[in-house]
Amino acid sequence: MTPAETLHRIPSRPWRWVPWLAGSQLGVVLAWLLAGWPWGLALMLASHALFLVPVFRPNSRFYAPVLDRLPAAGKSVWLTIDDGPSAETPQVLDLLDRHQARATFFLVGDRALARPELVREIVRRGHGIGNHSHSHPQARFWRLGPVAMSEEIESAQRALASITGQPPRWYRSVVGMTNPFVAPVLRRLQLTRVGWSARGYDGVACEPQVVLARLLPGLKAGSIVLLHEGAAHGRNLEIIEGVLQALQQRGLQARLPD
């Protein structure tokens, strides 16, 4: 793997968006003065959209670098399982063992503190651990300010390190949302943001076959697969098994990237 292909993409310029913001607003002022308020207003709305849309695009690199595929993967894919640990974690681990598969569990800090024995069991069985925020504030994560965002990510990092003895190297935003204040924390903690290239929307109410129909077309060598555990619909185990069976049929292996 060449240096350009390194998996660990730590933000090197976390505030690189600031000059773009300043320039865009200067353009708005000039348009308002020189061309009139209709042009100024239109440009203002367009500039706001430019900075807001990337917040909700999981693989957008506007605010922070993101790993969304594995370079030079051979026959490997990266299974990532979000939102644990949960009451389903032991069954997920048994399922992965039966298929000789490895996965990275992106864990929520306060849930990990409530079930530390499950976190240690994940590691004991040879799987990876990632940071998925401390309280998983799904409805408001996108609008957290710098202090609250830092607390969410740093608290989860401390919790997971205290349980496993080693801080995670991987990070995934809640619902993939990444606002301007994520990158500085990732740089400080030396975390790499992980996105995905195959997703079936299994974190919400769903039918397993519908989820698999969405997910399987993206299941190929180098894919980063987004899965969940412990969802209220209770079908995550069926979905994970369907993915593992599809991997076997396609001659692919679920391996850890590091």
Side-chain angles (χ1 to χ4, degrees):
M1 186 176 294
T2 68
E5 295 174 324
T6 179
L7 297 181
H8 294 281
R9 301 175 184 181
I10 311 300
S12 59
R13 294 181 295 149
W15 301 105
R16 64 180 183 175
W17 55 273
V18 173
W20 290 95
L21 177 62
S24 70
Q25 298 316 295
L26 177 60
V28 169
V29 172
L30 291 175
W32 206 295
L33 293 175
L34 299 177
W37 72 265
W39 284 100
L41 179 60
L43 187 58
M44 182 180 69
L45 294 175
S47 69
H48 287 186
L50 173 66
F51 290 92
L52 185 60
V53 169
V55 170
F56 300 100
R57 293 181 60 84
N59 291 332
S60 171
R61 291 165 171 78
F62 189 84
Y63 289 117
V66 62
L67 179 64
D68 58 6
R69 288 194 62 82
L70 296 178
K75 287 289 188 179
S76 295
V77 303
W78 187 8
L79 292 185
T80 63
I81 303 175
D82 286 11
D83 294 356
S86 71
E88 281 186 341
T89 301
Q91 295 166 280
V92 173
L93 292 172
D94 290 343
L95 186 55
L96 292 169
D97 282 351
R98 286 200 297 273
H99 287 267
Q100 297 182 317
R102 293 291 177 266
T104 296
F105 289 73
F106 284 88
L107 303 179
V108 178
D110 60 5
R111 298 173 191 174
L113 291 174
R115 290 184 164 102
E117 71 287 349
L118 292 182
V119 179
R120 287 189 283 267
E121 183 67 6
I122 290 170
V123 175
R124 189 189 71 78
R125 296 214 202 178
H127 303 286
I129 296 293
N131 182 325
H132 193 43
S133 84
H134 193 67
S135 64
H136 203 273
Q138 183 168 325
R140 59 186 179 88
F141 186 84
W142 67 276
R143 58 181 175 84
L144 293 182
V147 174
M149 183 64 74
S150 179
E151 182 64 20
E152 275 293 330
I153 300 174
E154 289 186 348
S155 293
Q157 194 77 348
R158 287 194 300 269
L160 296 172
S162 71
I163 295 169
T164 67
Q166 185 172 355
R169 292 185 293 169
W170 310 111
Y171 162 81
R172 174 170 285 150
S173 289
V174 178
V175 200
M177 298 180 291
T178 300
N179 76 15
F181 307 114
V182 169
V185 189
L186 301 189
R187 179 175 172 80
R188 188 161 60 250
L189 298 178
Q190 293 293 286
L191 283 165
T192 293
R193 177 175 158 235
V194 179
W196 54 78
S197 52
R199 177 189 194 184
Y201 296 92
D202 61 325
V204 295
C206 60
E207 287 297 325
Q209 292 308 312
V210 175
V211 171
L212 291 170
R214 296 189 193 112
L215 191 152
L216 293 184
L219 196 62
K220 56 191 73 172
S223 294
I224 298 177
V225 184
L226 172 62
L227 297 166
H228 293 81
E229 63 169 297
H233 56 68
R235 312 295 293 275
N236 288 134
L237 291 171
E238 297 174 62
I239 294 163
I240 294 171
E241 183 155 27
V243 170
L244 292 170
Q245 290 173 349
L247 289 176
Q248 186 174 6
Q249 292 165 2
R250 299 178 185 192
L252 298 170
Q253 298 176 319
R255 293 289 180 263
L256 299 182
D258 52 341

